[in-house]
Amino acid sequence: MSTAHPATTSPRVAVVTGAGLAVPGLTLPDELLGTVRDGGFDPVTGLVGRDLRHKDRASRLALRAAAPALRDAGLLDGDGYTGPGDTTAVVVSTNNGILENVCSFADTIARDTVLGLSPLGLPQTSSNVIAGSVAMAHGLRGPNVTLCNGPTSGLDALYWARALIVTGRAETAVVIGVEPAGDIVTKLLGTPALDGAVALVLESAAGAAERGATVRATVAGCARAADLAGAVARAGGLTPDLWLTEAAGDPAGPRAHAVLDPAAGLGAASGALGLLQAAAAVAHLDEHGRHTVLATCGRPEDDGVAAVFLTGPHHTP
């Protein structure tokens, strides 16, 4: 990401109208902020069904997060997707989503040559299989993008979804962060990994108003820079009430009333981290509609830092 999208008065504004989770033990985004409920998503029972047959684990998780997000936005009913399919984009962030698939195929070739491969599984070795699965399931025919961009990938996905809406390339965007767990992923990362997905629905403010949707948050500014201070400044330099980050001890961090890592305890979130932060921001803004929330991912040694400002529906610039 080479260009900043700071806070703007552009007539095309991207807003969040829905959020959904498929994270073990969690049901709603406010649980990322500490709300406790019984039950929650269970991958053992939640990743089965005819609609998930022949799909890889990352795609199944993404589908299970996208559906409640679309339903939350009022864009999904018993007959399917009710929004503008031709102008709805899918933007997915994942760094390890197809790792198990690719390694499994490599093992099969080493053992049985290419004659042992199943053509049904070949699409699962493409990083864009996840975004494609979500698009096909709901008839979403707009731009279709997958980012595998390291620690900043989740917030980078928000950046590009916002860009698609602000530039008029899409009216709606389903933005998903997903990372499946597995032995190979754990071995690569050296630590237990998240086995889940999170989805947000972004729309143009005009489109949301036209259909009477509830605006949960505005994506006020996005940027990527070499360091934290630069990313925050390029994203608009707003004063956050809540800062969602893994880098709470960074002296370059902005002053905020509260600092929180919503992904703590969920395992290495990787490409899903930024979307988990954004979902937590939406939950916070549901309760504090005048607040500003900052989400940041990455460190200078990670090839850059990404920052996104989200403001509540009653925020006054």
Side-chain angles (χ1 to χ4, degrees):
M1 180 164 48
S2 58
T3 306
H5 283 305
T8 178
T9 56
S10 166
R12 290 188 64 86
V13 176
V15 298
V16 181
T17 56
L21 298 178
V23 176
L26 303 184
T27 304
L28 297 173
D30 61 353
E31 291 169 82
L32 294 167
L33 299 173
T35 300
V36 178
R37 293 186 181 87
D38 292 331
F41 179 73
D42 181 0
V44 174
T45 58
L47 296 182
V48 296
R50 293 185 61 184
D51 59 323
L52 301 183
R53 291 180 62 189
H54 306 303
K55 289 184 170 56
D56 62 292
R57 189 173 189 85
S59 294
R60 286 182 283 153
L61 286 165
L63 286 163
R64 287 297 183 253
L70 290 169
R71 197 173 297 114
D72 188 38
L75 289 170
L76 190 66
D77 62 18
D79 296 323
Y81 183 63
T82 61
D86 289 338
T87 56
T88 299
V90 180
V91 184
V92 168
S93 167
T94 184
N95 290 319
N96 307 304
I98 63 166
L99 179 63
E100 298 265 349
N101 311 337
V102 171
C103 290
S104 175
F105 262 60
D107 288 344
T108 299
I109 292 172
R111 184 181 63 247
D112 304 322
T113 75
V114 294
L115 298 177
L117 297 178
S118 167
L120 290 176
L122 187 59
Q124 299 174 12
T125 61
S126 166
S127 60
N128 208 51
V129 65
I130 306 165
S133 294
V134 173
M136 288 186 289
H138 298 290
L140 312 180
R141 298 176 292 277
N144 193 277
V145 182
T146 297
L147 281 75
C148 309
N149 204 35
T152 65
S153 188
L155 293 184
D156 292 344
L158 275 178
Y159 172 100
W160 287 111
R162 180 180 187 249
L164 289 170
I165 290 171
V166 169
T167 59
R169 292 291 304 279
E171 286 295 326
T172 307
V174 182
V175 193
I176 301 167
V178 56
E179 295 292 359
D183 293 340
I184 295 174
V185 173
T186 301
K187 184 177 181 180
L188 174 69
L189 299 179
T191 185
L194 172 74
D195 188 33
V198 54
L200 295 182
V201 176
L202 271 60
E203 299 183 59
S204 67
E210 183 177 351
R211 69 182 188 88
T214 299
V215 172
R216 314 280 289 284
T218 297
V219 186
C222 307
R224 195 172 191 270
D227 55 30
L228 177 60
V232 172
R234 294 184 71 194
L238 304 179
T239 301
D241 299 282
L242 174 64
W243 179 24
L244 301 171
T245 180
E246 290 184 303
D250 193 323
R255 292 186 177 182
H257 178 71
V259 181
L260 179 68
D261 178 7
L266 297 179
S270 193
L273 175 59
L275 273 303
L276 287 167
Q277 292 174 341
V282 170
H284 176 84
L285 295 171
D286 282 343
E287 297 295 324
H288 306 280
R290 298 183 183 277
H291 280 192
T292 297
V293 180
L294 169 65
T296 63
C297 289
R299 297 178 175 85
E301 60 268 27
D302 295 326
D303 186 40
V305 179
V308 171
F309 281 105
L310 297 104
T311 57
H314 308 301
H315 172 75
T316 302

